[in-house]
Amino acid sequence: MKMIFFPRTDICSIRQFPLFLPAPQLLIMQGWRREASETLNLFTKAGFCQVKVPVPFADTADEKRFLHLIEDITTRRDDYAGQLSSLTLAGMTEPEKNEEHSERAILGALTGQTKVPVEHEEEQWQARLVLALGEILDREEEDIAAELATLDDNTHELFEDLQGEAEKDEESLFAELREVQQNLTPTRSGIVRRVHAWCTLFGAACGDGILLTDSEDAADILINRYEKASVESVVHVTNFPLPALVGRNAGEAIEKIAAFHQQYQENVKDISRWLTEMQNGSAVLEMDNIVSWEKALESAFPAAEYGRRVVEVRLFRGGFGRIAAGETSNGVMLVVKG
C-alpha cells in the first residue's frame, strides 16, 4: 500500500509524528533533489518514510539558481521574502495573465537572467517555489508557536514561585501540545495555491496511492473539485482515532512508533488491507477491528496523557479525477483533524 503525504513536502512538526502509526511507510513528494531535513532523515533511516522527486530539474544550472534563491529567502529576514512570496503566489493564480509576475521573471530581475522558459517549465518553477515557501512558513509558524508556549510556561512558573504555590506534577505531552496549538496562526490564504502546486508537480505520480493529510482546508479543496466534476459526492466512510502526540522529539517518537508497529503489527496490517480493498472497489466500507485498534492505542498511548485526534476516511469513487493521472481504482483520503 502506497500512502502519500499531501500537500506537505516535509515533516515540520511534532504534531505530524502520529501520522506514521497507521502507515507502514509514508511517501513524501518533493520538487527538487536536496539533502533531507534532520527530522525527515531520521524517519527515512528508520524505514518509516520514503522521499520521491517525480519531476527533478532537467537543467543543473536551473537547479543551482533555484537552490540559491531558496537559501536567500530562508536566511534573509527583510521584506524581500514577503514581496517575492506575494508576487509568486499571484503568478500561480493567473500565470497566463501575469507573466511578468512569474517566478522566472522575478529570478531574472534578481540575477540578471532574461531567458524565458516554455510555459510548462515555467509552471513547474512556480509550483516548486510555492511549495518551498509553504515549507518555510510551516517551520516558522511551528517555531514561533513553540517559543510562545515556552514563554507562557515560564511566566506561569514565575507567578507560581512568587505566590508560593506548591509544585505541580509534570505536565503531560498532550497539555504541552495544546499550548503549542493555541499559539498557531495558520495562513489559510495560501493553501489553494499549495494544493495547485502540489498537484501540478506530483499529480501524475500519485497513481493508486492513498492520500494522507493533516490539512482540513487541503482536503476540502480536493473534495469540492471532485464533487463539481462528478455526479457523486465524496463518501465519508468512517472515523478512527490517533494520538495527538507520540513524543517530544523525532528520536523518541520513532522509538515509540517502532514499538507499536512491532507489538500491534496485525492491527496496522488490518488497516492497510482494509484501505486497499476500498481502493479496489470492495462493497464493505466499515472498518474491521476498530475496537481492537482503539484498545491498542489506549495501551500504547493512553488518551489521558497523549490526547486524541480523529482520522476521517473519505472515498472518491472512480478516483480523484483531475488530481491524479492514470487512475484505475477508487481514491481514498485520510484526513487528520483536531
Side-chain angles (χ1 to χ4, degrees), residues 99-238:
E99 188 171 86
E100 70 278 11
H101 284 173
S102 68
E103 154 53 19
R104 181 51 64 90
I106 298 166
L107 183 64
L110 294 170
T111 63
Q113 299 288 329
T114 57
K115 179 183 176 182
V116 179
V118 296
E119 183 177 345
H120 185 59
E121 182 185 351
E122 175 72 15
E123 188 177 17
Q124 290 180 349
W125 252 91
Q126 292 178 347
R128 289 187 183 99
L129 187 60
V130 168
L131 294 177
L133 291 169
E135 277 188 29
I136 294 169
L137 293 174
D138 284 346
R139 292 194 186 94
E140 289 184 349
E141 176 187 301
E142 192 72 20
D143 290 344
I144 291 171
E147 289 173 4
L148 289 174
T150 301
L151 180 61
D152 289 342
D153 278 345
N154 293 340
T155 303
H156 184 66
E157 289 173 4
L158 177 60
F159 277 116
E160 284 186 345
D161 290 342
L162 291 174
Q163 294 172 6
E165 292 187 11
E167 185 175 345
K168 296 186 178 180
D169 294 335
E170 184 178 355
E171 190 174 38
S172 72
L173 283 173
F174 184 47
E176 293 180 14
L177 176 63
R178 281 185 298 185
E179 290 183 3
V180 173
Q181 288 178 318
Q182 288 171 359
N183 291 296
L184 287 172
T185 54
T187 51
R188 297 176 183 271
S189 60
I191 193 64
V192 174
R193 299 178 183 97
R194 288 180 73 171
V195 169
H196 175 68
W198 194 94
C199 293
T200 295
L201 287 175
F202 313 134
C206 287
D208 57 355
I210 292 169
L211 298 184
L212 173 64
T213 183
D214 62 344
S215 170
E216 296 181 41
D217 292 328
D220 288 342
I221 291 169
L222 293 199
I223 291 170
N224 291 336
R225 286 184 181 179
Y226 173 88
E227 292 183 342
K228 284 181 179 179
S230 173
V231 295
E232 295 191 66
S233 297
V234 173
V235 180
H236 180 187
V237 179
T238 191

Side-chain angles (χ1 to χ4, degrees), residues 62-137:
D62 265 1
E63 186 171 20
K64 288 181 179 179
R65 283 192 290 271
F66 180 84
L67 293 175
H68 177 74
L69 177 61
I70 298 306
E71 182 181 2
D72 203 17
I73 295 172
T74 304
T75 55
R76 294 183 63 168
R77 287 294 181 266
D78 53 24
D79 196 43
Y80 160 78
Q83 290 180 5
L84 180 60
S85 173
S86 298
L87 289 173
T88 304
L89 295 181
M92 282 297 294
T93 306
E94 297 181 315
E96 70 281 358
K97 295 180 181 178
N98 296 295
E99 188 171 86
E100 70 278 11
H101 284 173
S102 68
E103 154 53 19
R104 181 51 64 90
I106 298 166
L107 183 64
L110 294 170
T111 63
Q113 299 288 329
T114 57
K115 179 183 176 182
V116 179
V118 296
E119 183 177 345
H120 185 59
E121 182 185 351
E122 175 72 15
E123 188 177 17
Q124 290 180 349
W125 252 91
Q126 292 178 347
R128 289 187 183 99
L129 187 60
V130 168
L131 294 177
L133 291 169
E135 277 188 29
I136 294 169
L137 293 174

Side-chain angles (χ1 to χ4, degrees), residues 278-311:
M278 197 186 311
Q279 277 188 302
N280 294 333
S282 171
V284 179
L285 298 182
E286 289 301 319
M287 180 178 177
D288 293 331
N289 301 324
I290 188 169
V291 174
S292 178
W293 173 262
E294 291 171 347
K295 288 180 178 178
L297 284 188
E298 188 59 30
S299 177
F301 304 99
E305 181 180 356
Y306 293 90
R308 286 292 182 266
R309 301 178 77 181
V310 174
V311 181

Side-chain angles (χ1 to χ4, degrees), residues 253-325:
I254 287 170
E255 288 183 8
K256 292 182 177 180
I257 293 168
F260 182 87
H261 281 184
Q262 182 175 3
Q263 185 172 357
Y264 301 104
Q265 56 182 309
E266 286 304 317
N267 297 91
V268 178
K269 288 179 180 178
D270 282 345
I271 290 181
S272 296
R273 281 193 292 264
W274 171 62
L275 292 173
T276 301
E277 289 172 1
M278 197 186 311
Q279 277 188 302
N280 294 333
S282 171
V284 179
L285 298 182
E286 289 301 319
M287 180 178 177
D288 293 331
N289 301 324
I290 188 169
V291 174
S292 178
W293 173 262
E294 291 171 347
K295 288 180 178 178
L297 284 188
E298 188 59 30
S299 177
F301 304 99
E305 181 180 356
Y306 293 90
R308 286 292 182 266
R309 301 178 77 181
V310 174
V311 181
E312 287 187 358
V313 182
R314 298 282 186 161
L315 174 65
F316 297 66
R317 295 191 186 278
F320 293 109
R322 295 191 306 165
I323 297 159

